[in-house]
Amino acid sequence: MADPALDGLVEALRCLPGVGQKSAQRMAYHLLQHDRAGALKLARALDGAVNEIGHCARCHTFSRAELCDLCADSTRDARLLCVVETPADQAALERTGSYKGQYFVLLGRLSPLDGLGARDIGLSALLTRASDGVVEEVILATNFNAEGEATAHVLGEQLKARGLKVTRLARGVPVGSELEYVDLGTIAHAFMDRR
């Protein structure tokens, strides 16, 4: 017979992506048996993040302030606007150190099967932002899966209709790979996108 508090903890941990019943139970037992200080630290961090972190008013990434640090940085190139699906995607691009423009985070992607349409991912806000008279190029950096490709296509058509230059992240053979081990779709895209 399980304790309701323990069951609640297990269910709460199951909300994390990729965490099933057994993994959640293992984590709950570990925290309660071996790392109560870590459990309290986790609880405080979650409480603080949920109560203090919202979305940037301009790009929609996570931020404590109305504008995130990137949007507030006047040295960033406002003529370039990179569109990503999530704050995690934005963070990944920032870690490369190769992009110095502005961002727009969709907070999702088109997914008709999940009931997510253009309104749900902020298409109108993106169109308003991209049509501000400053943005010259919109770089579509959505994921290279079916939903990401569909999202890039729809966004690209809408943005081009407003006279904006629209580009897409390149895709192709990864650095250091051997052609015989690369999937055929990647090789085909590399040929089409060659420069």
Side-chain angles (χ1 to χ4, degrees), residues 24-39:
Q25 191 173 31
R26 197 169 26 254
M27 286 184 232
Y29 284 13
H30 171 79
L31 289 169
L32 293 176
Q33 184 174 351
H34 300 291
D35 196 3
R36 286 186 178 253

Side-chain angles (χ1 to χ4, degrees), residues 113-136:
L113 293 176
D114 296 323
L116 297 175
R119 185 176 294 145
D120 300 307
I121 63 169
L123 176 61
S124 61
L126 170 61
L127 295 175
T128 300
R129 171 88 187 277
S131 302
D132 66 0
V134 177
V135 174
E136 295 175 7

